[in-house]
Amino acid sequence: MNGSKIRVGIVGANADQSWAAAAHLPALAHLPEFQLTAVATTRQATAERAAEAFQARHAFDNAHALATHPDVDLVVVTVKAPGHAEAVRAAASAGKHVLCEWPLGVDLTEATELAAAVGGTGVVHAIGLQGYHSPAAAFVRDLLAEGRIGRLQAASLVAAGDPLGGATISPSLAWSLDPAAGNTLLTIMVGHFLSTLEHVTGPVTELSATVANLHPQVTVTGTGERLDSGAPTQVALHGRLADSAVVSLTVQGGSGPGDGGFFLRLAGTDGALTITPSPSPAFLHWTDWRIQLTSGAGQPAELRVPDRYRVAPPGVPPGPPANVAALYREVADAITARRPAHPSFHTALRQHRLLAAIEQAAETGGRLRIDTEGVVLA
């Protein structure tokens, strides 16, 4: 590293429209621990335009050139899911720290390979499961641990999965209709929502599931083109948590604008927590939560998330950049302390195994037991 700064290279930092521009760059702008030094896209011209827009010194048209440059300490992977493997392999072979957006790979096989690639290298590796850095999720997790509602009996989450899983799809997401691309309602939406829920309640240990495709043909908005789709449109899970509480999750696909909406109820022996997005519908893993506590026969009391749970520095925009900023701070602390980051690629691998178990349970109609690493038990 150059002095006290961690030098960042972002793969997928397109200046026109990208997740890096929407979430990562607004976060990095307020994090003095980091310095953006390099960007990469698939074309040199767009990379140079991004470098100028984001004030990065270096521009590359491939992940390997970025990862091997001496001015890069941390490789950040923000490209579409099919491009994650190439960028992660480049970082691992160059011995660079790496932060990869979710999902780690397009499927369990690829995720297993990528987790193994960083194993034993000594580099810090982190996965972009933003719910792990949600202040509201951390607060509610502590409320459960403190026994504010007694022993947890049931956790129920219903969440919107738009813009994936509907009868229509935007041209920019049409590639998601092929499940092999790793960008479906199950891999993206259920992956994020379930990881956030487990972060709060503890792990799922038993499950049965339904994974349905109600739209085998989908209309592309604006063009009217009809495309075949093998991607799921509705996902439901029912099971048990490690403490024997019952858990249910329903993710409803649709063709809306993709600004989310959810309802989470945590029922215990001495009360319940009811959680909805605040101030308006948004995805569970990146928005603030409205938290209401009901205990005994009393009226619901609204609970405010204490400021100590907010890790993102002042000035970071609300929404995705805030939790992404908290993830960067976790990575910085892990690098400085020479410890693993959390959530890591190992966390991602467990999540990929859990998603594969959901598919298996849906295909067989069976009920599966899962260990703490996400492996299906015989």
Side-chain angles (χ1 to χ4, degrees):
M1 293 185 294
N2 183 18
S4 61
K5 298 278 189 179
I6 298 170
R7 297 167 298 178
V8 178
I10 300 182
V11 182
N14 193 298
D16 297 326
Q17 184 179 8
S18 66
W19 181 246
H24 287 257
L25 274 302
L28 285 169
H30 297 275
L31 295 170
E33 310 97 307
F34 295 92
Q35 178 185 6
L36 179 68
T37 57
V39 295
T41 64
T42 56
R43 292 181 297 160
Q44 189 65 30
T46 58
E48 290 174 358
R49 189 162 66 248
E52 181 179 2
F54 303 137
Q55 300 182 345
R57 289 199 300 270
H58 307 291
F60 304 101
D61 63 2
N62 66 89
H64 178 77
L66 179 144
T68 56
H69 198 281
D71 286 348
V72 172
D73 304 310
L74 171 68
V75 176
V76 177
V77 182
T78 67
V79 291
K80 294 177 181 177
H84 287 188
E86 178 187 0
V88 170
R89 290 188 196 111
S93 64
K96 301 297 178 71
H97 305 300
V98 57
L99 188 168
C100 182
E101 275 293 346
W102 173 262
L104 179 55
V106 295
D107 55 24
L108 176 56
T109 299
E110 194 170 79
T112 302
E113 178 212 330
L114 297 177
V118 297
T121 62
V123 303
V124 169
H125 45 89
I127 190 72
L129 286 169
Q130 299 158 18
Y132 278 85
H133 295 283
S134 161
F139 176 50
V140 172
R141 176 179 175 147
D142 285 351
L143 291 176
L144 294 183
E146 293 163 6
R148 289 290 295 273
I149 60 170
R151 182 181 177 187
L152 183 64
Q153 302 283 281
S156 303
L157 172 63
V158 178
D162 309 46
L164 298 174
T168 64
I169 198 162
S170 70
S172 64
L173 285 172
W175 62 278
S176 301
L177 299 177
D178 181 1
N183 193 76
T184 69
L185 185 79
L186 177 65
T187 56
I188 301 300
M189 301 308 186
V190 175
H192 276 297
F193 301 158
L194 186 54
S195 68
T196 305
L197 181 62
E198 285 192 307
H199 180 56
V200 171
T201 64
V204 172
T205 56
E206 296 180 20
L207 66 87
S208 57
T210 298
V211 178
N213 179 1
L214 304 184
H215 304 294
Q217 276 205 327
V218 175
T219 301
V220 179
T221 57
T223 69
E225 183 181 8
R226 297 281 289 172
L227 297 177
D228 292 337
S229 173
T233 65
Q234 305 289 326
V235 178
L237 174 152
H238 179 79
R240 302 287 285 271
L241 298 170
D243 63 358
S244 298
V246 172
V247 61
S248 64
L249 167 69
T250 302
V251 179
Q252 302 167 344
S255 305
D259 55 3
F262 64 88
F263 177 88
L264 171 61
R265 180 173 171 81
L266 304 171
T269 54
D270 302 323
L273 292 163
T274 302
I275 300 163
T276 52
S278 174
S280 59
F283 292 132
L284 175 76
H285 52 292
W286 73 39
T287 191
D288 284 337
W289 295 1
R290 184 187 182 200
I291 305 166
Q292 292 185 303
L293 169 66
T294 305
S295 56
Q299 293 296 313
E302 193 154 332
L303 304 182
R304 177 181 175 275
V305 178
D307 289 341
R308 67 179 181 274
Y309 287 93
R310 301 191 183 278
V311 178
V316 174
N323 290 356
V324 169
L327 173 58
Y328 272 105
R329 288 216 147 156
E330 163 66 10
V331 170
D333 186 69
I335 291 173
T336 301
R338 298 184 180 182
R339 64 165 178 82
H342 187 68
S344 69
F345 282 13
H346 302 309
T347 314
L349 181 55
R350 182 197 180 277
Q351 200 66 20
H352 276 282
R353 287 171 177 155
L354 189 58
L355 297 182
I358 291 172
E359 290 186 295
Q360 180 182 340
E363 290 171 0
T364 64
R367 186 174 184 84
L368 305 180
R369 293 188 303 120
I370 313 294
D371 70 9
T372 56
E373 299 300 318
V375 176
V376 174
L377 300 174

